[in-house]
Amino acid sequence: MHAKIEESFRRNLPAVDFCSLRLVDESSEDICVRQDVLEPVHRSTDMGAMITVIAGGGLGYAATSDLSEAGIRSALRDAQYWAKRTAGKCVVDFSKIEMASPQGEYRTPVRSSWTSMSLKDKVSLLMNESQRLKTDDRIVDWEAGMSFVETRSLYLTSAGGRVEQEISQLAPSLVVTANEGTETQTRTLNGHGPCRQGGLEVLEEVGFLEAAPVLAAEALQLLGAPNCPSGTMDLLLAPDQMILQIHESIGHPLELDRILGDERNYAGTTFVTLDMFGSYRYGSELLNITFDPTLPNEFASFGFDDEGQPATKEYLIRRGILERPLGAGVSQQRASMAGVANSRAQSWNRPPIDRMANLNLEIGSSSLPEMINAVERGIYMKSNCSWSIDDSRNKFQFGCEWAQLIEDGELTAIVKKPNYRGVSGTFWRNLRMVGDEKTHDILGTPNCGKGEPNQVIRVGHASPACLFSNVEVLGGE
Amino acid sequence: MQEYFDELTEYATSLLTGDEVLTTSFSAEDSDFVRFNQAAVRQAGRVVQKRMEISLIRGQRHASVGMTLSGGLELDRAHVRKQTISLRELLPQLPEDPYLLYSTDVRSSETHGENSLPEASDATSAILSSSRGADLVGLYAGGGIHRGFGNSLGQRNWFSSYSFNLDWSLYHRQDKAVKLNQSGFRWNAAKFDEKLAGGKEQLAVLSKEARILKPGRYRVFLSPAAVWEIMGTLSWGGFGLKDHRTKQTSLLQMIEGAARLDESVNISENTAEGVAPNFQGAGFIRPERVPLIERGCFQSCLASPRSAKEYDVQTNGASASESPQSLDIEEGDVPSSEVLSRLETGLYINNLHYLNYSDRPNCRMTGMTRFATFWVENGNISAPLNVMRFDETLYRLFGTNLIGLTTEREFMLDPTTYGSRSTFSARMPGALIEDFALTL
């Protein structure tokens, strides 16, 4: 099928400045056991192609699920139509934009394929984990699930570029909810953050098979816990909250399309401006942020982005200084600034835009006990459950499922409904200690929303635990 | 399109053996998307997509598969056949599902929209021509939306609509902007020019020096769009039957405790006056109206077929997510013309942004002001405001601290396009509220 589509594209190439076809062929399976009952098993297949044409300075795209030769021809006509109608009316003269014409391939390394276990065995495994979550009458809802996606893509350009990629991703989940009267508390496996590339080996890597009894016990502990106190104090964040902090207050503000204004009507603008790169102190000396789609098992790895730029690891922030934006080929040329290979689309039916992929905070040298010992009055929070930030990505408030007070260098009382708020710039400049490899975790999110038309995309984040000073902490009602 | 869907459903039905039952659910669109920045085009294109979901049921065992259709009958028939066989092979591996519920009462229906849309490129030219020199950013999305349901019992439902949604904003500088929207079934260039002129007038106020507020409690007016943002967050786990029965609803204090909203607050799922199809994926027809909150107190939940079976109640045709699609808040008694004078001194908030729960069991939400938010003094708009964070419970916002809801309401079409263009809508009044907590 893919070969026929490639032939159709090559045979019908129009005489334009640039033309590409991006084919996405995705299959997925979702299995979930809730309250020891199997939820409907859902499978999905999705295949389509996006044609992009640059002609006369305009750019047009056309996405179609009709992959016959007639369908490809029709999409080529539609894309040419829009290129012609937007010529001279675009934010940039696209005829001056250099598009990549790559050759290559990429495959997720998989040790234990999704199909190596029967559906019956997968259901049995999830049933077992579900049963282990129900440890008490106060547990009112609980579920164990796995979501697997396999994506095969083919990127072709009119200049002969050809990239084939095959990505396998698994997102396991555990959720347990306890209730007593007007109090309800939920614990999840890493705040829905355990998702990686690979096969069934991911289950072991993220600790899926050990977590159920711990999560159930913690949900029950939270029911009887006092409210998180309010005040300014030190804040120690576990990796499953750090990933949200990185995502919202470093990832999104550094997207070059936001800086260029494309996102202002929907996701928002950013406090970051082009003149900040190279000199702006984003965080303390300990802050090192990299964009790295080359890591083999992180959730958003690839060999090439969706406009054919080869993946490379790049520092965005080094020793606290802002170096480079999250901007792909088109944005880089619009801004005359180096960026990264991050042109990504949700699927064949959406055009690529500047996106996060794997965005990581590099490992430091402090152990978890060292960080706890360094705190006189503070709090340790883990597992994100609430996120809100302004449209310039400055004033944020985030909440976690679970927290424990730190008093005189020791972890003490467990508290419920922990939240904290601050302003991105000052928050990162208060980064006081960065955890070592033992505190580090590789996580991600399958649901990052952005763009017009709207797109959700899978993003990877890895981080050690980190300690921050002078943070405003608050609890529930 | 309808005939095509019917033909595939007939074909899938012809593949059944023994006592198998099959349902099909169809979703398609033919959309043009034009993205603007600085009154120029960033990306423009067309998306043509068709998807069908097949569920195969034998007794209490069932499984489903979603597939993208090519639009070529022969190819799609082969795809349907392959997937149906694959589902048949899957069923013996699955346990019986105690919560399976699908409609066996055959209720067919058809709703056909009229296509009065212009070529998207003509609307684009009009937008670009009128807004030359302005900093306009946003998205024009327009075209046909089609939904269908079918089953092997003979039920057929069809819905088609041809609409556009121009969701845009006009910028002064940095984050100082006016949010605007024009949506409907017929493009009207004069109306766009009128909105553009109105937006430019507001930009003049936004160009004044911004007032910076300290955290504290203030009297505010929330526009209908801002009220919808709050209701959108409440819809996330607030109204679903499963969330209520598992005590995860954000209305827990209303269900288990003594919390309530003001007597004037009546909230319903008003399918009859919305623009979404009145059927759902298991073939149930939604009632015209489901009262959710009446006179400030909980009235009923949105119950999907699966939850209804699990908790032994009647379904009211809710989708699997049990979220409203056509949310409606009844009007109040504050004339819109009196909003500024009754606000007297405080904030006029046109838009809110990025809301989330900061204490779900107590229905406390945090979020930001966004776009045109103004400081009002002695009943007059006096200055733009820099963005502020709020953190408040629903029970204070629409309960103890509610001054009143406006007599006029705004009907808004959801501009979101995740996966496909939305058919959700809302009819909301504005709200005058005192002691609104700004925290950052």
Side-chain angles (χ1 to χ4, degrees):
Chain A
M1 183 75 178
H2 292 198
K4 273 190 179 172
I5 295 163
E6 184 169 1
E7 283 167 23
S8 297
F9 174 71
R10 299 275 181 222
R11 211 167 18 236
N12 292 284
L13 271 176
V16 293
D17 296 334
F18 172 81
C19 183
S20 68
L21 177 146
R22 182 168 51 81
L23 175 75
V24 180
D25 180 359
E26 189 164 285
S27 57
S28 63
E29 186 167 47
D30 295 299
I31 312 170
C32 180
V33 173
R34 175 176 167 261
Q35 297 194 9
D36 309 339
V37 174
L38 178 67
E39 295 275 289
V41 172
H42 187 258
R43 289 176 171 178
S44 173
T45 64
D46 184 19
M47 181 156 66
M50 173 164 281
I51 302 275
T52 303
V53 165
I54 294 176
L59 178 143
Y61 66 80
T64 181
S65 52
D66 181 358
L67 299 170
S68 66
E69 184 146 2
I72 299 290
R73 272 203 297 264
S74 173
L76 282 164
R77 273 196 303 275
D78 285 344
Q80 280 180 273
Y81 169 84
W82 272 114
K84 189 175 171 190
R85 295 302 298 256
T86 58
K89 299 173 182 171
C90 290
V91 293
V92 63
D93 179 351
F94 279 99
S95 67
K96 293 180 177 157
I97 298 286
E98 195 180 324
M99 301 298 287
S101 201
Q103 295 287 336
E105 55 184 44
Y106 179 83
R107 273 181 186 76
T108 299
V110 175
R111 277 195 284 124
S112 176
S113 80
W114 177 247
T115 51
S116 64
M117 187 187 278
S118 70
L119 176 64
K120 207 169 180 176
D121 287 347
K122 286 173 191 147
V123 171
S124 168
L125 184 149
L126 293 176
M127 190 65 75
N128 191 45
E129 296 312 308
S130 168
Q131 287 164 354
R132 286 176 357 124
L133 287 166
K134 174 67 174 171
T135 58
D136 189 284
D137 284 348
R138 290 170 296 169
I139 288 178
V140 291
D141 203 15
W142 63 99
E143 64 180 54
M146 289 191 280
S147 184
F148 178 76
V149 185
E150 188 170 68
T151 310
R152 295 168 65 209
S153 65
L154 175 67
Y155 182 70
L156 307 169
T157 71
S158 48
R162 188 181 194 284
V163 170
E164 262 189 294
Q165 305 196 80
E166 198 172 310
I167 309 284
S168 301
Q169 293 161 311
L170 182 62
S173 70
L174 293 169
V175 184
V176 56
T177 299
N179 166 264
E180 201 162 27
T182 54
E183 190 59 79
T184 298
Q185 289 290 330
T186 295
R187 283 291 285 131
T188 63
L189 181 61
N190 294 122
H192 300 287
C195 39
R196 291 188 184 186
Q197 287 195 9
L200 290 163
E201 70 272 14
V202 171
L203 295 177
E204 197 179 320
E205 289 170 7
V206 303
F208 182 76
L209 302 172
E210 292 88 49
V214 178
L215 294 174
E218 288 183 348
L220 293 168
Q221 278 177 316
L222 286 167
L223 274 187
N227 223 339
C228 175
S230 296
T232 301
M233 60 187 81
D234 288 350
L235 173 65
L236 178 59
L237 294 180
D240 60 4
Q241 172 57 24
M242 279 302 300
I243 63 166
L244 186 280
Q245 185 72 52
I246 295 164
H247 182 96
E248 301 287 5
S249 72
I250 292 182
H252 282 307
L254 296 193
E255 288 161 349
L256 192 47
D257 59 347
R258 288 179 82 114
I259 299 171
L260 292 168
D262 295 351
E263 280 291 330
R264 290 176 296 163
N265 183 59
Y266 180 64
T269 179
T270 169
F271 69 94
V272 175
T273 51
L274 291 175
D275 58 350
M276 288 180 176
F277 291 93
S279 60
Y280 179 73
R281 174 156 292 285
Y282 207 102
S284 76
E285 283 270 335
L286 298 171
L287 182 63
N288 291 291
I289 297 287
T290 56
F291 172 86
D292 192 0
T294 68
L295 297 165
N297 64 342
E298 203 166 329
F299 201 39
S301 299
F302 48 77
F304 298 82
D305 75 6
D306 286 339
E307 287 181 320
Q309 292 286 342
T312 54
K313 176 179 178 175
E314 304 291 351
Y315 272 80
L316 306 186
I317 298 171
R318 200 189 310 251
R319 300 185 66 181
I321 301 296
L322 185 59
E323 286 194 352
R324 188 183 280 254
L326 280 166
V330 173
S331 295
Q332 288 172 33
Q333 292 174 70
R334 285 168 71 193
S336 303
M337 181 173 280
V340 298
N342 70 326
S343 184
R344 303 181 67 205
Q346 174 179 328
S347 188
W348 59 270
N349 58 1
R350 292 288 181 266
I353 54 177
D354 291 344
R355 281 303 208 152
M356 285 175 249
N358 296 330
L359 188 70
N360 303 332
L361 196 150
E362 296 292 304
I363 292 165
S365 58
S366 302
S367 69
L368 195 62
E370 280 169 351
M371 289 193 280
I372 293 166
N373 286 339
V375 175
E376 190 180 317
R377 178 172 175 267
I379 189 164
Y380 174 45
M381 295 190 195
K382 64 182 183 183
S383 304
N384 176 262
C385 68
S386 177
W387 56 98
S388 171
I389 189 165
D390 75 37
D391 64 308
S392 300
R393 297 277 148 176
N394 240 333
K395 293 181 177 180
F396 64 79
Q397 180 169 319
F398 301 141
C400 290
E401 293 173 4
W402 192 94
Q404 200 166 0
L405 299 180
I406 308 174
E407 294 165 296
D408 297 323
E410 285 189 6
L411 288 169
T412 57
I414 293 163
V415 292
K416 67 182 178 186
K417 300 176 182 171
N419 290 269
Y420 63 98
R421 57 188 170 221
V423 174
S424 295
T426 50
F427 181 82
W428 287 107
R429 287 195 285 273
N430 286 340
L431 174 63
R432 189 176 144 199
M433 295 174 89
V434 175
D436 61 17
E437 189 146 13
K438 279 189 182 167
T439 74
H440 182 255
D441 205 354
I442 300 167
L443 301 160
T445 174
N447 296 311
C448 173
K450 187 187 164 185
E452 289 181 309
N454 305 149
Q455 310 191 36
V456 285
I457 208 157
R458 304 178 191 109
V459 173
H461 295 300
S463 177
C466 288
L467 178 65
F468 299 85
S469 304
N470 297 319
V471 181
E472 188 186 352
V473 169
L474 64 151
E477 282 290 291
Chain B
M1 192 82 79
Q2 184 184 10
E3 283 171 15
Y4 182 74
F5 167 60
D6 284 348
E7 204 157 332
L8 284 178
T9 299
E10 290 296 334
Y11 176 69
T13 301
S14 75
L15 301 171
L16 298 182
T17 60
D19 58 353
E20 288 175 341
V21 174
L22 173 138
T23 68
T24 56
S25 197
F26 182 78
S27 169
E29 70 175 56
D30 184 348
S31 299
D32 286 298
F33 295 113
V34 184
R35 189 176 201 197
F36 302 99
N37 181 13
Q38 295 176 319
V41 176
R42 168 63 184 95
Q43 284 166 321
R46 176 164 294 172
V47 175
V48 180
Q49 56 182 347
K50 303 173 189 69
R51 273 188 73 77
M52 189 160 90
E53 177 112 0
I54 297 180
S55 293
L56 187 66
I57 304 159
R58 193 166 59 226
Q60 286 297 115
R61 289 187 169 84
H62 66 117
S64 61
V65 64
M67 66 188 90
T68 303
L69 302 172
S70 71
L73 193 58
E74 216 172 295
L75 198 62
D76 288 337
R77 276 185 164 192
H79 202 174
V80 165
R81 182 182 175 82
K82 185 180 162 192
Q83 295 297 347
T84 305
I85 291 168
S86 158
L87 289 174
R88 185 173 292 133
E89 288 168 355
L90 202 60
L91 291 186
Q93 298 183 57
L94 302 173
E96 292 194 338
D97 182 357
Y99 307 139
L100 170 65
L101 183 65
Y102 57 94
S103 176
T104 51
D105 178 19
V106 174
R107 291 178 68 187
S108 298
S109 62
E110 288 184 34
T111 305
H112 294 276
E114 184 192 334
N115 188 358
S116 305
L117 295 173
E119 284 291 321
S121 58
D122 293 343
T124 302
S125 296
I127 293 162
L128 291 176
S129 165
S130 296
S131 62
R132 192 169 295 128
D135 188 359
L136 176 146
V137 56
L139 180 77
Y140 173 95
I145 296 174
H146 313 277
R147 302 279 189 270
F149 173 82
N151 65 22
S152 55
L153 307 175
Q155 181 168 331
R156 297 289 181 274
N157 304 93
W158 184 255
F159 167 92
S160 68
S161 167
Y162 298 84
S163 62
F164 75 94
N165 200 318
L166 174 64
D167 191 64
W168 55 296
S169 35
L170 270 184
Y171 267 78
H172 167 56
R173 63 180 169 82
Q174 292 169 332
D175 65 349
K176 296 292 177 292
V178 181
K179 177 79 169 177
L180 296 150
N181 180 280
Q182 185 174 344
S183 54
F185 305 95
R186 238 174 248 274
W187 169 253
N188 182 336
K191 195 172 172 189
F192 172 75
D193 290 344
E194 196 182 306
K195 282 180 179 270
L196 183 66
K200 284 179 176 173
E201 276 176 31
Q202 287 197 60
L203 279 191
V205 182
L206 284 172
S207 67
K208 292 183 179 177
E209 191 179 345
R211 187 181 175 117
I212 299 168
L213 293 183
K214 287 183 179 166
R217 292 194 171 272
Y218 295 86
R219 179 179 279 230
V220 301
F221 173 71
L222 297 179
S223 75
V227 171
W228 193 14
E229 282 286 343
I230 290 170
M231 289 300 135
T233 306
L234 181 61
S235 301
W236 178 28
F239 299 120
L241 177 65
K242 186 173 86 173
D243 291 308
H244 276 242
R245 294 300 173 93
T246 59
K247 314 296 183 191
Q248 294 177 82
T249 173
S250 52
L251 292 174
L252 188 66
Q253 290 286 353
M254 186 182 274
I255 311 307
E256 298 288 331
R260 57 165 298 158
L261 304 180
D262 187 80
E263 281 237 334
S264 65
V265 178
N266 296 290
I267 304 176
S268 64
E269 168 74 332
N270 188 350
T271 301
E273 294 185 60
V275 292
N278 70 343
F279 54 88
Q280 53 87 265
F284 290 96
I285 304 297
R286 298 189 175 108
E288 291 198 340
R289 184 172 167 273
V290 178
L292 302 170
I293 288 178
E294 288 213 320
R295 296 171 67 88
C297 296
F298 167 74
Q299 184 65 27
S300 53
C301 285
L302 293 173
S304 70
R306 186 167 186 81
S307 293
K309 186 75 181 286
E310 179 175 357
Y311 298 110
D312 197 22
V313 299
Q314 289 286 313
T315 179
N316 47 30
S319 61
S321 68
E322 299 186 324
S323 299
Q325 302 187 2
S326 309
L327 201 61
D328 182 299
I329 300 185
E330 213 168 86
E331 69 275 12
D333 59 5
V334 178
S336 296
S337 57
E338 293 179 13
V339 160
L340 283 174
S341 61
R342 292 185 63 173
L343 176 60
E344 202 181 340
T345 297
L347 289 84
Y348 190 105
I349 299 172
N350 271 305
N351 300 91
L352 294 173
H353 173 69
Y354 219 140
L355 277 62
N356 208 322
Y357 291 109
S358 57
D359 180 351
R360 182 181 280 262
N362 286 302
C363 208
R364 197 180 80 191
M365 300 172 189
T366 185
M368 296 297 304
T369 64
R370 188 178 180 188
F371 295 113
T373 299
F374 299 109
W375 180 247
V376 174
E377 239 169 47
N378 301 320
N380 295 305
I381 287 175
S382 68
L385 288 169
N386 282 346
V387 295
M388 291 295 290
R389 172 166 295 286
F390 74 91
D391 200 348
E392 266 295 8
T393 72
L394 188 79
Y395 306 112
R396 284 194 289 267
L397 288 173
F398 291 92
T400 50
N401 293 348
L402 180 70
I403 299 168
L405 302 170
T406 56
T407 48
E408 292 80 14
R409 296 186 297 164
E410 201 169 315
F411 181 63
M412 296 166 282
L413 298 180
D414 180 15
T416 61
T417 49
Y418 283 107
S420 59
R421 285 163 53 220
S422 172
T423 55
F424 292 11
S425 63
R427 198 178 301 271
M428 298 280 136
L432 264 178
I433 294 164
E434 60 188 348
D435 288 337
F436 183 76
L438 298 179
T439 57
L440 183 66

